[in-house]
Amino acid sequence: MDDDLVSLNNCRILIVDDKAENLELLTRFLEAEGYDVAFATSGKEAINIATIFLPHLILLDVMMPGIDGFETCRRLKSLDRVKDVPVIFVTGKAELSDIVEAFSVGAVDYVTKPIRQEELLARVSTHLQLQALINLRDELISTLRDKTLELEKLSKLKEQQLETSQQFSHIGEMVGELTHELGTPLSVISTAISHLDEKQKQLNQQVQQKTLAKSDLQGFIDNTAQSYDIVLSNLNNAMNLINSFKHIVVGEFSGAIVQCNLADYLHDIERVLHPKLKRSPHSVTINCPVTIQITSDMGALSQVLINLINNALIHAFDDNSHGSININVEQKEQEAILKVSDDGQGIEGEKLSKIFEKYYSTRLGSGGSGLGLFIVKNLIEQHLLGGIKVTSQLGKGTEFYITLPLYISTKNK
């Protein structure tokens, strides 16, 4: 057995024959080859022994007392524990009909008596190797299936991490912009209060020295009013920016269904993006009727619009151009129609057909993840229960056409 494809050491073989001389002969042949042998003298005995011994191969006679070999094979093939064990008939019956029946009940081979040692051992070895290879194949398939499921889970986890990373990325950018933008009004407020404090000290000194004139008091009052206006104006600007940021960021993380005025919400998004847009040569214009009320996942909507605006700022315009991005909204029955368009360079037809595909990016290797517009489409379809289409003309720009239901219930989501 040195030339075996797989090791057959300690393979178990069950011999079923009612003739003692046949059992003795087969046992001698097989044990000389190193096989572990058990035997039975009837079909019923064979079935009982097989379920305990769990052989790797069964050699089965046809003519036996009680149930014959064909019925024995049928019953063995109905038992889960031994149904896959290969059965070779070893019999004196050589009629074609017997051979056909043997294969029909599940046998893998048919050897006629008188027994020829080399032929029998060759067939036994062949079927044991074949069965061992089948078992190995099944194990490999099972392992491969497990590994595939594991890789699918890892792939989904990676996608979730990339999507979360992208969300945190633009929120991180907004935090940085917010911090920078708040610096100006807070500095103005600090300067105005410091100036007012200095004027108050001067006024107090004049009172103590009894040199306060009516004109000095009037000047202080006028100065206080101006400082108050400056402080209030800048404080309002800072609070509006903070509130807009809170609405956008809290909404993105909560995923809550809320009701709001769509125009107000769009201007919150514009206000949050204003620090970034202020340093850009491009402009964003929002045209939305003040009458549209929407109940939806507003955090998902802000992610969609911020992604689309950022995508346009990165991809739509040539260097040194001054482009415009327009968000136009209208209501049609129970839907809000949002058209997000730019007057940039447009997108080629081949690229346009792939624009929503996962990992597709014209900037892969240059900082683009290829997930931006894939995430946009997923958010619109899965979270906002809407739809998105895109059209583009080279040299004229690109338009994203978004339809959203005006009302989403928590049950729908």
Side-chain angles (χ1 to χ4, degrees), residues 136-197:
L136 180 60
R137 179 207 63 187
D138 292 342
E139 289 177 10
L140 289 173
I141 290 174
S142 178
T143 301
L144 182 60
R145 186 183 297 112
D146 292 340
K147 291 296 181 184
T148 301
L149 291 173
E150 184 178 342
L151 287 173
E152 287 177 354
K153 290 179 181 178
L154 288 174
S155 177
K156 289 179 181 179
L157 179 61
K158 179 184 176 183
E159 290 172 10
Q160 291 171 355
Q161 289 173 338
L162 283 171
E163 291 179 20
T164 302
S165 173
Q166 180 148 333
Q167 182 183 15
F168 275 107
S169 176
H170 89 250
I171 289 175
E173 181 183 9
M174 287 193 293
V175 170
E177 300 284 0
L178 174 71
T179 303
H180 183 271
E181 188 72 3
L182 286 175
T184 299
L186 293 179
S187 295
V188 171
I189 291 170
S190 178
T191 300
I193 291 176
S194 297
H195 174 72
L196 192 59
D197 182 62

XYZ file of all heavy atoms in Angstrom, residues 136-197:
489
model
N -12.036 13.970 2.298
C -11.117 15.109 2.348
C -11.685 16.297 1.585
O -11.610 17.442 2.043
C -9.763 14.704 1.758
C -8.672 15.780 1.733
C -8.370 16.266 3.143
C -7.415 15.248 1.063
N -12.283 15.995 0.421
C -12.926 17.063 -0.354
C -14.026 17.746 0.448
O -14.119 18.979 0.487
C -13.511 16.474 -1.643
C -14.241 17.492 -2.529
C -15.293 16.822 -3.372
N -16.341 16.202 -2.562
C -17.303 15.443 -3.052
N -17.327 15.158 -4.344
N -18.244 14.941 -2.264
N -14.867 16.927 1.096
C -15.974 17.489 1.880
C -15.459 18.338 3.031
O -16.027 19.391 3.352
C -16.867 16.365 2.412
C -17.625 15.653 1.297
O -17.721 16.219 0.201
O -18.118 14.530 1.537
N -14.362 17.879 3.659
C -13.772 18.664 4.747
C -13.237 19.996 4.235
O -13.411 21.043 4.866
C -12.639 17.869 5.407
C -13.116 16.681 6.234
C -11.949 15.881 6.807
O -10.802 16.373 6.706
O -12.178 14.781 7.326
N -12.587 19.936 3.060
C -12.048 21.162 2.474
C -13.168 22.119 2.083
O -13.058 23.334 2.274
C -11.187 20.825 1.252
C -9.849 20.139 1.545
C -9.177 19.719 0.244
C -8.933 21.057 2.346
N -14.249 21.560 1.516
C -15.396 22.404 1.150
C -15.988 23.053 2.387
O -16.314 24.246 2.398
C -16.459 21.572 0.409
C -15.945 21.181 -0.986
C -17.778 22.344 0.303
C -16.860 20.230 -1.732
N -16.131 22.250 3.458
C -16.664 22.787 4.708
C -15.762 23.873 5.277
O -16.231 24.939 5.709
C -16.842 21.656 5.728
O -17.320 22.154 6.953
N -14.443 23.609 5.249
C -13.491 24.610 5.743
C -13.543 25.864 4.888
O -13.528 26.998 5.405
C -12.063 24.023 5.731
O -12.019 22.869 6.553
C -11.060 25.046 6.239
N -13.608 25.661 3.560
C -13.679 26.798 2.647
C -14.949 27.607 2.876
O -14.932 28.843 2.866
C -13.623 26.297 1.204
C -13.642 27.378 0.104
C -12.454 28.312 0.254
C -13.652 26.735 -1.279
N -16.068 26.897 3.114
C -17.327 27.589 3.380
C -17.227 28.423 4.660
O -17.657 29.572 4.701
C -18.462 26.564 3.503
C -19.843 27.197 3.648
C -20.917 26.145 3.834
N -21.030 25.274 2.675
C -20.715 23.991 2.649
N -20.261 23.409 3.759
N -20.846 23.272 1.553
N -16.620 27.819 5.688
C -16.451 28.541 6.951
C -15.565 29.773 6.759
O -15.850 30.855 7.290
C -15.846 27.632 8.022
C -16.807 26.522 8.451
O -18.013 26.681 8.209
O -16.339 25.519 9.013
N -14.464 29.579 5.997
C -13.551 30.692 5.753
C -14.224 31.782 4.925
O -14.007 32.976 5.149
C -12.293 30.204 5.038
C -11.392 29.324 5.887
C -10.818 30.096 7.084
C -9.896 29.237 7.919
N -9.403 29.958 9.128
N -15.061 31.355 3.962
C -15.777 32.321 3.135
C -16.731 33.150 3.984
O -16.814 34.374 3.838
C -16.562 31.602 2.019
O -15.649 30.862 1.206
C -17.313 32.597 1.154
N -17.467 32.467 4.882
C -18.374 33.190 5.777
C -17.598 34.147 6.673
O -18.025 35.282 6.920
C -19.173 32.195 6.634
C -20.202 31.338 5.889
C -20.788 30.285 6.826
C -21.308 32.214 5.321
N -16.439 33.686 7.143
C -15.605 34.531 7.999
C -15.113 35.755 7.227
O -15.134 36.878 7.743
C -14.418 33.707 8.510
C -13.528 34.461 9.495
C -12.389 33.597 10.008
O -12.471 32.358 9.885
O -11.409 34.167 10.520
N -14.692 35.522 5.969
C -14.224 36.643 5.144
C -15.359 37.604 4.821
O -15.154 38.827 4.762
C -13.607 36.103 3.847
C -12.238 35.426 3.992
C -11.819 34.793 2.671
C -11.181 36.437 4.447
N -16.562 37.058 4.605
C -17.714 37.928 4.347
C -18.008 38.809 5.557
O -18.313 39.996 5.423
C -18.941 37.083 4.000
C -18.891 36.461 2.612
C -20.082 35.566 2.337
O -20.897 35.340 3.264
O -20.202 35.077 1.186
N -17.916 38.199 6.752
C -18.137 38.983 7.968
C -17.068 40.067 8.115
O -17.366 41.211 8.462
C -18.120 38.064 9.195
C -19.323 37.137 9.295
C -19.220 36.239 10.523
C -20.418 35.284 10.602
N -20.313 34.371 11.772
N -15.804 39.677 7.838
C -14.716 40.647 7.929
C -14.891 41.759 6.892
O -14.611 42.925 7.171
C -13.370 39.949 7.722
C -12.885 39.043 8.862
C -11.625 38.305 8.451
C -12.639 39.867 10.132
N -15.363 41.365 5.691
C -15.580 42.356 4.641
C -16.670 43.343 5.035
O -16.531 44.557 4.857
C -15.969 41.655 3.334
O -16.241 42.588 2.319
N -17.770 42.809 5.609
C -18.861 43.689 6.047
C -18.391 44.600 7.169
O -18.739 45.789 7.215
C -20.057 42.856 6.512
C -20.797 42.162 5.378
C -21.962 41.334 5.898
C -22.682 40.635 4.754
N -23.809 39.791 5.234
N -17.583 44.041 8.095
C -17.052 44.843 9.184
C -16.152 45.946 8.638
O -16.216 47.092 9.102
C -16.278 43.950 10.151
C -15.626 44.652 11.356
C -16.692 45.326 12.218
C -14.834 43.657 12.184
N -15.326 45.593 7.638
C -14.444 46.592 7.032
C -15.259 47.693 6.378
O -14.930 48.887 6.509
C -13.543 45.914 5.991
C -12.601 46.882 5.291
C -11.798 46.173 4.208
C -10.935 47.163 3.437
N -10.185 46.507 2.331
N -16.332 47.303 5.666
C -17.179 48.300 5.017
C -17.825 49.212 6.054
O -17.884 50.442 5.872
C -18.260 47.608 4.188
C -17.726 46.913 2.948
C -18.786 46.082 2.254
O -19.965 46.203 2.642
O -18.431 45.319 1.348
N -18.310 48.610 7.146
C -18.920 49.426 8.199
C -17.898 50.380 8.801
O -18.209 51.548 9.078
C -19.498 48.521 9.292
C -20.707 47.720 8.839
C -21.124 46.674 9.865
O -20.466 46.467 10.879
N -22.215 45.972 9.592
N -16.665 49.874 8.988
C -15.617 50.727 9.544
C -15.270 51.859 8.590
O -15.064 53.002 9.021
C -14.369 49.887 9.853
C -14.541 48.949 11.041
C -13.364 48.012 11.216
O -12.608 47.746 10.283
N -13.195 47.505 12.435
N -15.221 51.536 7.282
C -14.928 52.580 6.294
C -16.043 53.625 6.248
O -15.780 54.826 6.164
C -14.742 51.950 4.914
C -13.410 51.242 4.661
C -13.447 50.478 3.343
C -12.265 52.238 4.660
N -17.296 53.141 6.296
C -18.422 54.076 6.269
C -18.416 54.947 7.526
O -18.635 56.164 7.465
C -19.740 53.312 6.159
C -19.914 52.626 4.802
C -21.218 51.855 4.707
O -22.131 52.147 5.493
O -21.313 50.957 3.849
N -18.184 54.312 8.691
C -18.116 55.075 9.936
C -16.945 56.046 9.902
O -17.060 57.201 10.345
C -17.965 54.120 11.137
O -19.065 53.220 11.145
C -17.947 54.906 12.444
N -15.821 55.597 9.353
C -14.640 56.451 9.250
C -14.944 57.669 8.399
O -14.542 58.786 8.724
C -13.475 55.663 8.656
O -12.377 56.498 8.408
N -15.663 57.437 7.289
C -15.996 58.564 6.424
C -16.936 59.533 7.131
O -16.810 60.749 7.005
C -16.628 58.060 5.128
C -17.012 59.195 4.178
C -16.894 58.772 2.734
O -16.108 57.894 2.380
N -17.664 59.393 1.882
N -17.896 58.984 7.895
C -18.806 59.846 8.643
C -18.040 60.668 9.665
O -18.215 61.882 9.764
C -19.870 58.997 9.343
C -20.894 59.839 10.113
C -21.892 58.969 10.864
O -21.678 57.777 11.035
N -22.958 59.568 11.338
N -17.157 59.998 10.429
C -16.373 60.722 11.417
C -15.444 61.733 10.748
O -15.147 62.782 11.311
C -15.551 59.742 12.264
C -16.308 59.166 13.419
C -16.739 57.851 13.400
C -16.606 59.950 14.523
C -17.457 57.321 14.462
C -17.321 59.422 15.586
C -17.743 58.110 15.563
N -14.975 61.389 9.539
C -14.058 62.283 8.838
C -14.715 63.622 8.549
O -14.146 64.685 8.829
C -13.593 61.629 7.535
O -12.781 62.520 6.807
N -15.951 63.590 7.989
C -16.551 64.880 7.656
C -17.062 65.593 8.906
O -17.074 66.819 8.959
C -17.639 64.707 6.575
C -19.018 64.439 7.068
N -19.638 63.223 6.907
C -19.924 65.228 7.704
C -20.852 63.278 7.416
N -21.055 64.478 7.911
N -17.420 64.816 9.948
C -17.797 65.468 11.204
C -16.571 66.098 11.850
O -16.630 67.224 12.368
C -18.467 64.454 12.158
C -19.859 64.096 11.618
C -18.566 65.009 13.568
C -20.572 63.035 12.402
N -15.442 65.386 11.791
C -14.204 65.951 12.319
C -13.821 67.226 11.599
O -13.357 68.203 12.217
N -14.015 67.213 10.285
C -13.718 68.415 9.505
C -14.631 69.561 9.934
O -14.181 70.703 10.098
C -13.898 68.120 8.019
C -13.579 69.297 7.116
C -13.835 68.994 5.649
O -14.417 67.932 5.358
O -13.463 69.827 4.812
N -15.922 69.250 10.149
C -16.857 70.303 10.573
C -16.514 70.839 11.955
O -16.656 72.032 12.218
C -18.298 69.769 10.546
C -18.857 69.601 9.147
S -20.659 69.349 9.156
C -20.779 67.768 9.950
N -16.054 69.944 12.850
C -15.643 70.408 14.185
C -14.496 71.400 14.068
O -14.483 72.452 14.724
C -15.226 69.208 15.066
C -14.569 69.700 16.353
C -16.438 68.348 15.398
N -13.522 71.053 13.201
C -12.398 71.963 13.003
C -12.848 73.295 12.431
O -12.399 74.365 12.868
N -13.745 73.224 11.439
C -14.258 74.465 10.835
C -15.060 75.275 11.852
O -14.957 76.505 11.904
C -15.141 74.121 9.626
C -14.449 73.364 8.513
C -13.550 74.264 7.679
O -13.474 75.468 7.978
O -12.926 73.753 6.735
N -15.866 74.578 12.663
C -16.668 75.267 13.676
C -15.768 75.987 14.679
O -16.002 77.161 15.010
C -17.554 74.258 14.399
C -18.353 74.794 15.598
C -19.462 75.721 15.116
C -18.930 73.662 16.430
N -14.743 75.291 15.143
C -13.824 75.899 16.114
C -13.185 77.152 15.545
O -13.084 78.184 16.209
C -12.729 74.880 16.497
O -13.351 73.708 17.018
C -11.801 75.462 17.541
N -12.748 77.056 14.279
C -12.112 78.212 13.632
C -13.111 79.346 13.440
O -12.795 80.523 13.669
C -11.533 77.766 12.277
C -10.804 78.853 11.560
N -11.419 79.731 10.690
C -9.492 79.204 11.601
C -10.530 80.578 10.214
N -9.340 80.272 10.747
N -14.310 78.998 13.017
C -15.320 80.023 12.730
C -15.788 80.726 13.996
O -16.088 81.926 13.972
C -16.513 79.381 12.012
C -17.541 80.373 11.485
C -17.046 81.161 10.287
O -15.924 80.904 9.812
O -17.794 82.046 9.832
N -15.874 79.991 15.094
C -16.312 80.607 16.353
C -15.265 81.571 16.901
O -15.591 82.444 17.723
C -16.599 79.528 17.397
C -17.884 78.726 17.214
C -17.975 77.617 18.249
C -19.108 79.644 17.328
N -14.031 81.411 16.449
C -12.966 82.271 16.960
C -13.231 83.735 16.704
O -12.992 84.590 17.580
N -13.765 84.071 15.517
C -13.981 85.479 15.160
C -15.049 86.141 16.030
O -14.778 87.169 16.667
C -14.336 85.601 13.668
O -13.258 85.087 12.895
C -14.590 87.059 13.301
N -16.293 85.611 16.097
C -17.296 86.295 16.940
C -16.915 86.318 18.411
O -17.175 87.309 19.101
C -18.577 85.482 16.707
C -18.126 84.159 16.194
C -16.893 84.435 15.422
N -16.272 85.251 18.896
C -15.878 85.251 20.306
C -14.785 86.277 20.574
O -14.772 86.918 21.640
C -15.402 83.846 20.711
C -16.481 82.758 20.722
C -15.881 81.414 21.107
C -17.618 83.115 21.684
N -13.883 86.464 19.612
C -12.850 87.489 19.768
C -13.457 88.882 19.752
O -13.057 89.761 20.539
C -11.808 87.376 18.641
O -11.101 86.159 18.734
N -14.429 89.097 18.860
C -15.101 90.409 18.796
C -15.850 90.677 20.095
O -15.802 91.788 20.648
C -16.064 90.455 17.590
C -16.919 91.719 17.643
C -15.280 90.392 16.282
N -16.551 89.633 20.608
C -17.279 89.782 21.870
C -16.314 90.121 23.001
O -16.565 91.017 23.818
C -18.059 88.489 22.194
C -19.219 88.300 21.204
C -18.584 88.505 23.625
C -19.888 86.942 21.301
N -15.188 89.413 23.045
C -14.192 89.669 24.091
C -13.648 91.085 24.005
O -13.497 91.781 25.025
C -13.050 88.653 23.955
O -12.043 88.899 24.908
N -13.374 91.535 22.768
C -12.849 92.900 22.577
C -13.874 93.935 22.998
O -13.543 94.932 23.680
C -12.461 93.114 21.106
O -11.457 92.170 20.741
C -11.922 94.522 20.878
N -15.138 93.719 22.623
C -16.191 94.690 22.962
C -16.389 94.771 24.476
O -16.540 95.857 25.044
C -17.499 94.299 22.271
N -16.364 93.632 25.138
C -16.557 93.625 26.595
C -15.362 94.270 27.299
O -15.521 95.035 28.264
C -16.782 92.178 27.083
C -18.143 91.663 26.593
C -16.711 92.108 28.607
C -18.422 90.227 26.928
N -14.162 93.986 26.796
C -12.959 94.601 27.382
C -12.999 96.119 27.211
O -12.648 96.871 28.138
C -11.694 94.040 26.712
O -11.569 92.665 26.951
N -13.419 96.552 26.037
C -13.539 97.995 25.782
C -14.572 98.620 26.716
O -14.344 99.703 27.302
C -13.950 98.214 24.318
C -14.229 99.635 23.983
N -13.252 100.613 23.874
C -15.423 100.281 23.749
C -13.809 101.778 23.579
N -15.133 101.590 23.492
N -15.706 97.915 26.877
C -16.757 98.426 27.754
C -16.286 98.458 29.204
O -16.599 99.404 29.966
C -18.000 97.534 27.620
C -19.292 98.064 28.250
C -19.689 99.400 27.643
C -20.418 97.055 28.057
N -15.520 97.443 29.605
C -14.983 97.412 30.965
C -14.037 98.595 31.212
O -14.061 99.233 32.282
C -14.244 96.092 31.187
C -13.703 95.973 32.605
O -14.509 95.976 33.553
O -12.468 95.873 32.755
